[in-house]
Coordinates of all heavy atoms in Angstrom, one line a residue:
A229 N -25.4 -10.9 11.0 CA -26.6 -10.5 10.3 C -26.5 -9.0 9.8 O -27.2 -8.1 10.2 CB -27.8 -10.6 11.3
P230 N -25.5 -8.8 8.9 CA -25.4 -7.4 8.3 C -26.6 -7.0 7.5 O -27.2 -7.9 6.9 CB -24.1 -7.5 7.5 CG -24.1 -8.9 7.1 CD -24.6 -9.7 8.2
P231 N -26.9 -5.8 7.5 CA -28.1 -5.4 6.6 C -27.8 -5.5 5.2 O -26.6 -5.6 4.8 CB -28.3 -3.9 7.1 CG -27.0 -3.5 7.6 CD -26.4 -4.7 8.3
E232 N -28.8 -5.6 4.3 CA -28.6 -5.7 2.9 C -28.0 -4.3 2.4 O -28.5 -3.3 2.5 CB -29.9 -5.9 2.2 CG -30.5 -7.3 2.5 CD -29.7 -8.4 1.9 OE1 -29.0 -8.2 0.9 OE2 -29.7 -9.5 2.5
L233 N -26.8 -4.5 1.9 CA -26.0 -3.3 1.5 C -25.5 -3.5 0.0 O -25.1 -4.6 -0.3 CB -24.8 -3.0 2.4 CG -25.1 -2.6 3.8 CD1 -23.9 -2.6 4.7 CD2 -25.8 -1.3 4.0
E234 N -25.5 -2.4 -0.7 CA -24.8 -2.5 -2.1 C -23.3 -2.4 -1.9 O -22.8 -1.5 -1.2 CB -25.4 -1.3 -2.9 CG -24.8 -1.4 -4.3 CD -25.3 -0.3 -5.3 OE1 -26.2 0.4 -4.7 OE2 -24.8 -0.2 -6.4
L235 N -22.6 -3.4 -2.5 CA -21.2 -3.4 -2.3 C -20.6 -2.2 -3.1 O -21.0 -1.8 -4.1 CB -20.6 -4.7 -2.9 CG -21.0 -6.0 -2.2 CD1 -20.4 -7.2 -2.8 CD2 -20.6 -5.9 -0.7
R236 N -19.5 -1.6 -2.4 CA -18.8 -0.5 -3.0 C -18.1 -0.9 -4.2 O -17.4 -1.9 -4.2 CB -17.9 0.2 -2.0 CG -18.6 0.8 -0.8 CD -17.6 1.2 0.3 NE -16.6 2.1 -0.2 CZ -15.4 2.2 0.3 NH1 -15.1 1.5 1.4 NH2 -14.6 3.0 -0.2
D237 N -18.0 0.0 -5.2 CA -17.2 -0.3 -6.4 C -15.8 0.2 -6.1 O -15.6 1.4 -5.8 CB -17.7 0.5 -7.6 CG -16.9 0.3 -8.8 OD1 -16.0 -0.6 -8.8 OD2 -17.1 1.0 -9.9
L238 N -14.8 -0.7 -6.0 CA -13.5 -0.3 -5.6 C -12.5 -0.3 -6.8 O -11.3 -0.2 -6.6 CB -12.9 -1.4 -4.6 CG -13.7 -1.6 -3.4 CD1 -13.2 -2.8 -2.6 CD2 -13.7 -0.4 -2.5
S239 N -13.0 -0.3 -8.1 CA -12.2 -0.2 -9.2 C -11.4 1.1 -9.3 O -10.3 1.2 -9.9 CB -13.1 -0.3 -10.5 OG -14.0 0.7 -10.6
E240 N -11.9 2.1 -8.7 CA -11.1 3.4 -8.7 C -10.3 3.6 -7.4 O -9.8 4.7 -7.2 CB -12.2 4.6 -8.8 CG -12.9 4.6 -10.1 CD -12.1 4.7 -11.3 OE1 -11.1 5.4 -11.2 OE2 -12.4 4.0 -12.3
G241 N -10.2 2.6 -6.6 CA -9.4 2.7 -5.4 C -10.2 2.6 -4.1 O -11.5 2.8 -4.2
L242 N -9.6 2.5 -3.0 CA -10.3 2.4 -1.7 C -10.8 3.7 -1.3 O -12.0 3.8 -0.8 CB -9.3 1.8 -0.7 CG -9.9 1.7 0.7 CD1 -11.1 0.7 0.8 CD2 -8.8 1.1 1.7
V243 N -10.0 4.8 -1.4 CA -10.4 6.1 -1.0 C -11.0 6.9 -2.2 O -10.3 7.1 -3.1 CB -9.3 6.9 -0.3 CG1 -9.7 8.3 0.1 CG2 -8.7 6.1 0.8
Q244 N -12.2 7.2 -2.1 CA -12.9 7.8 -3.3 C -13.7 9.1 -2.7 O -14.8 8.9 -2.3 CB -13.9 7.0 -4.0 CG -13.2 5.7 -4.5 CD -14.2 4.7 -5.2 OE1 -15.2 5.1 -5.6 NE2 -13.8 3.5 -5.2
P245 N -13.0 10.2 -2.5 CA -13.6 11.4 -2.0 C -14.9 11.8 -2.8 O -14.9 11.7 -4.1 CB -12.5 12.5 -2.0 CG -11.2 11.7 -2.2 CD -11.6 10.4 -3.0
S246 N -15.8 12.3 -2.1 CA -17.0 12.8 -2.8 C -17.0 14.3 -2.8 O -16.3 15.0 -2.1 CB -18.3 12.3 -1.9 OG -18.3 13.0 -0.7
A247 N -17.9 14.9 -3.6 CA -18.0 16.4 -3.7 C -18.5 17.0 -2.4 O -18.2 18.2 -2.2 CB -18.9 16.7 -4.8
E248 N -19.1 16.2 -1.5 CA -19.6 16.8 -0.2 C -18.5 16.8 0.8 O -18.6 17.5 1.8 CB -20.8 16.0 0.3 CG -22.0 16.1 -0.6 CD -22.0 15.4 -1.9 OE1 -21.3 14.3 -1.9 OE2 -22.6 15.8 -2.8
D249 N -17.3 16.2 0.6 CA -16.3 16.2 1.6 C -15.6 17.5 1.7 O -15.5 18.3 0.7 CB -15.2 15.1 1.3 CG -15.8 13.7 1.4 OD1 -16.7 13.5 2.2 OD2 -15.2 12.7 0.8
P250 N -15.1 17.9 2.9 CA -14.5 19.2 3.1 C -13.3 19.4 2.2 O -12.5 18.4 1.9 CB -14.1 19.2 4.6 CG -14.9 18.2 5.2 CD -15.2 17.1 4.2
E251 N -13.1 20.6 1.7 CA -11.9 20.9 0.8 C -10.7 21.3 1.6 O -10.8 22.0 2.6 CB -12.3 22.0 -0.2 CG -11.2 22.4 -1.2 CD -11.6 23.5 -2.1 OE1 -12.2 23.1 -3.1 OE2 -11.3 24.6 -1.8
V252 N -9.6 20.7 1.2 CA -8.3 21.0 1.9 C -7.3 21.4 0.9 O -7.2 20.8 -0.2 CB -7.8 19.8 2.6 CG1 -6.4 20.1 3.4 CG2 -8.8 19.3 3.7
V253 N -6.5 22.5 1.2 CA -5.5 23.0 0.2 C -4.1 22.8 0.9 O -3.9 23.2 2.1 CB -5.7 24.5 -0.1 CG1 -4.6 24.9 -1.0 CG2 -7.0 24.7 -0.7
V254 N -3.2 22.1 0.2 CA -2.0 21.8 0.7 C -0.9 22.3 -0.2 O -1.0 22.1 -1.5 CB -1.7 20.2 0.9 CG1 -0.3 19.9 1.4 CG2 -2.8 19.6 1.8
E255 N 0.1 23.0 0.3 CA 1.2 23.5 -0.6 C 2.5 22.8 -0.3 O 2.9 22.7 0.8 CB 1.4 25.0 -0.3 CG 2.2 25.7 -1.3 CD 2.2 27.2 -1.2 OE1 1.3 27.9 -1.7 OE2 3.2 27.8 -0.5
V256 N 3.1 22.2 -1.3 CA 4.3 21.4 -1.1 C 5.4 21.9 -2.0 O 5.2 22.5 -3.0 CB 4.0 19.9 -1.5 CG1 2.9 19.3 -0.6 CG2 3.6 19.7 -3.0
G257 N 6.6 21.7 -1.5 CA 7.8 22.0 -2.3 C 8.1 21.0 -3.3 O 7.4 19.9 -3.3
P258 N 9.2 21.1 -4.0 CA 9.7 20.1 -4.9 C 9.8 18.6 -4.3 O 9.5 17.6 -4.9 CB 11.1 20.5 -5.4 CG 11.0 22.0 -5.3 CD 10.2 22.3 -4.0
G259 N 10.2 18.6 -3.0 CA 10.4 17.3 -2.3 C 9.0 16.7 -1.9 O 9.0 15.5 -1.5
G260 N 7.9 17.4 -2.0 CA 6.7 16.9 -1.7 C 5.7 16.7 -2.8 O 4.5 16.4 -2.6
R261 N 6.3 16.7 -4.1 CA 5.4 16.5 -5.2 C 4.7 15.2 -5.3 O 3.7 14.9 -6.0 CB 6.2 16.8 -6.5 CG 6.6 18.2 -6.7 CD 7.4 18.3 -8.0 NE 6.6 18.1 -9.1 CZ 6.0 19.0 -9.9 NH1 6.1 20.3 -9.5 NH2 5.2 18.7 -10.9
W262 N 5.3 14.2 -4.5 CA 4.7 12.8 -4.5 C 3.2 12.8 -4.0 O 2.6 11.9 -4.3 CB 5.6 11.9 -3.7 CG 5.8 12.4 -2.2 CD1 6.8 13.1 -1.8 CD2 5.0 12.1 -1.1 NE1 6.6 13.4 -0.5 CE2 5.5 12.8 0.0 CE3 3.7 11.4 -1.0 CZ2 4.9 12.7 1.3 CZ3 3.2 11.3 0.3 CH2 3.8 12.0 1.4
V263 N 2.9 13.9 -3.2 CA 1.6 13.9 -2.6 C 0.5 13.8 -3.8 O -0.5 13.1 -3.6 CB 1.4 15.1 -1.8 CG1 -0.1 15.3 -1.3 CG2 2.3 15.1 -0.6
A264 N 0.8 14.5 -4.9 CA -0.2 14.6 -6.0 C -0.3 13.2 -6.7 O -1.3 12.9 -7.4 CB 0.3 15.6 -7.0
E265 N 0.7 12.3 -6.5 CA 0.6 11.0 -7.1 C -0.1 10.0 -6.2 O -0.7 9.1 -6.7 CB 2.1 10.5 -7.4 CG 2.9 11.4 -8.3 CD 4.3 10.9 -8.4 OE1 4.6 9.8 -8.0 OE2 5.1 11.7 -9.1
Y266 N -0.1 10.2 -4.9 CA -0.6 9.2 -3.9 C -2.0 9.6 -3.5 O -2.7 8.8 -2.9 CB 0.3 9.1 -2.8 CG 1.5 8.2 -3.1 CD1 2.7 8.7 -3.6 CD2 1.5 6.8 -2.8 CE1 3.7 7.9 -4.0 CE2 2.6 6.0 -3.1 CZ 3.7 6.6 -3.7 OH 4.8 5.8 -4.0
Y267 N -2.4 10.9 -3.6 CA -3.7 11.3 -3.0 C -4.6 11.8 -4.2 O -4.1 12.6 -5.0 CB -3.5 12.4 -2.1 CG -2.9 12.0 -0.7 CD1 -1.6 11.8 -0.6 CD2 -3.8 11.8 0.4 CE1 -1.0 11.4 0.6 CE2 -3.2 11.4 1.6 CZ -1.9 11.2 1.7 OH -1.3 10.8 3.0
A268 N -5.8 11.3 -4.2 CA -6.8 11.8 -5.2 C -7.0 13.3 -4.9 O -7.2 13.7 -3.8 CB -8.1 11.1 -5.1
H269 N -7.0 14.1 -6.0 CA -7.1 15.6 -5.7 C -8.0 16.2 -6.8 O -8.0 15.6 -8.0 CB -5.8 16.2 -5.7 CG -4.8 15.9 -6.9 ND1 -4.1 14.7 -7.0 CD2 -4.7 16.6 -8.0 CE1 -3.4 14.7 -8.1 NE2 -3.8 15.9 -8.8
D270 N -8.5 17.4 -6.6 CA -9.2 18.1 -7.6 C -8.4 18.9 -8.6 O -8.7 19.1 -9.7 CB -10.2 19.1 -6.9 CG -11.3 18.3 -6.1 OD1 -11.5 17.1 -6.4 OD2 -11.9 19.0 -5.2
S271 N -7.3 19.5 -8.0 CA -6.4 20.3 -8.8 C -4.9 20.2 -8.3 O -4.8 20.1 -7.0 CB -6.9 21.6 -9.0 OG -6.9 22.3 -7.7
A272 N -3.9 20.5 -9.1 CA -2.6 20.6 -8.6 C -1.9 21.7 -9.5 O -1.7 21.6 -10.6 CB -1.8 19.3 -8.8
V273 N -1.8 22.9 -8.9 CA -1.2 24.1 -9.6 C 0.2 24.2 -9.4 O 0.8 24.1 -8.2 CB -1.9 25.3 -9.1 CG1 -1.4 26.6 -9.8 CG2 -3.4 25.3 -9.3
E274 N 1.0 24.4 -10.5 CA 2.5 24.5 -10.4 C 2.8 25.8 -9.8 O 2.3 26.9 -10.0 CB 3.1 24.4 -11.8 CG 3.0 23.0 -12.5 CD 3.9 22.1 -12.0 OE1 4.8 22.5 -11.3 OE2 3.8 20.9 -12.3
L275 N 3.9 25.8 -8.9 CA 4.4 26.9 -8.2 C 5.8 27.3 -8.8 O 6.5 26.4 -9.3 CB 4.5 26.7 -6.7 CG 3.1 26.4 -6.0 CD1 3.4 26.1 -4.5 CD2 2.2 27.6 -6.2
P276 N 6.2 28.5 -8.7 CA 7.5 29.0 -9.3 C 8.7 28.2 -8.7 O 9.6 28.1 -9.5 CB 7.5 30.5 -8.8 CG 6.1 30.9 -8.7 CD 5.4 29.7 -8.1
D277 N 8.6 27.7 -7.5 CA 9.7 27.1 -6.9 C 9.8 25.6 -7.3 O 10.7 24.8 -6.8 CB 9.8 27.2 -5.4 CG 8.6 26.5 -4.8 OD1 7.7 26.1 -5.4 OD2 8.6 26.5 -3.5
G278 N 8.9 25.2 -8.2 CA 8.9 23.7 -8.5 C 7.9 22.9 -7.7 O 7.8 21.7 -7.9
G279 N 7.3 23.5 -6.7 CA 6.3 22.8 -5.9 C 4.9 22.8 -6.5 O 4.7 23.2 -7.7
L280 N 3.9 22.5 -5.7 CA 2.5 22.5 -6.1 C 1.6 22.9 -5.0 O 1.9 22.8 -3.8 CB 2.2 21.0 -6.4 CG 2.8 20.2 -7.6 CD1 2.4 18.7 -7.5 CD2 2.5 20.8 -8.9
R281 N 0.5 23.5 -5.4 CA -0.6 23.9 -4.6 C -1.7 22.8 -4.9 O -2.3 22.9 -5.9 CB -1.1 25.3 -4.7 CG -2.2 25.6 -3.7 CD -2.6 27.1 -3.8 NE -1.5 28.0 -3.3 CZ -0.8 28.8 -4.0 NH1 -1.1 28.9 -5.4 NH2 0.1 29.6 -3.6
I282 N -2.0 22.0 -4.0 CA -2.9 20.8 -4.3 C -4.2 21.0 -3.5 O -4.2 21.2 -2.3 CB -2.2 19.5 -3.8 CG1 -0.9 19.3 -4.5 CG2 -3.2 18.3 -4.1 CD1 0.0 18.2 -4.0
T283 N -5.3 20.9 -4.3 CA -6.6 21.0 -3.6 C -7.2 19.6 -3.7 O -7.3 18.9 -4.7 CB -7.5 21.9 -4.4 OG1 -6.9 23.2 -4.4 CG2 -8.9 22.0 -3.8
L284 N -7.6 19.1 -2.5 CA -8.2 17.8 -2.4 C -9.4 17.7 -1.4 O -9.6 18.7 -0.7 CB -7.1 16.7 -2.0 CG -6.2 17.0 -0.8 CD1 -6.9 16.7 0.5 CD2 -4.9 16.3 -0.9
R285 N -10.0 16.6 -1.4 CA -11.2 16.5 -0.5 C -10.9 15.3 0.5 O -10.4 14.2 0.0 CB -12.5 16.4 -1.2 CG -12.8 17.6 -2.1 CD -14.1 17.5 -2.7 NE -14.4 18.7 -3.5 CZ -14.8 19.8 -3.0 NH1 -15.2 20.0 -1.7 NH2 -15.0 20.9 -3.8
A286 N -11.3 15.5 1.7 CA -11.1 14.4 2.6 C -12.3 14.3 3.6 O -12.8 15.3 4.1 CB -9.8 14.8 3.5
S287 N -12.8 13.1 3.7 CA -13.9 12.9 4.5 C -13.6 13.1 6.1 O -14.4 13.4 6.9 CB -14.4 11.4 4.4 OG -13.5 10.5 4.7
A288 N -12.2 12.9 6.4 CA -11.8 13.1 7.8 C -10.5 13.9 7.6 O -9.5 13.4 7.7 CB -11.5 11.8 8.5
P289 N -10.7 15.3 7.5 CA -9.5 16.1 7.3 C -8.5 16.0 8.4 O -7.2 16.2 8.1 CB -10.1 17.5 7.3 CG -11.5 17.3 6.9 CD -12.0 16.0 7.5

Side-chain angles (χ1 to χ4, degrees):
E232 292 293 331
L233 298 170
E234 182 178 351
L235 295 180
R236 296 169 55 202
D237 180 8
L238 300 172
S239 60
E240 299 299 323
L242 179 61
V243 180
Q244 301 174 27
S246 69
E248 291 74 30
D249 289 338
E251 183 179 273
V252 179
V253 179
V254 180
E255 193 171 277
V256 301
R261 293 179 66 94
W262 57 267
V263 174
E265 300 175 9
Y266 283 85
Y267 288 81
H269 55 276
D270 294 341
S271 65
V273 179
E274 293 283 348
L275 299 177
D277 66 351
L280 295 171
R281 182 176 293 113
I282 304 168
T283 301
L284 50 83
R285 296 186 181 275
S287 58

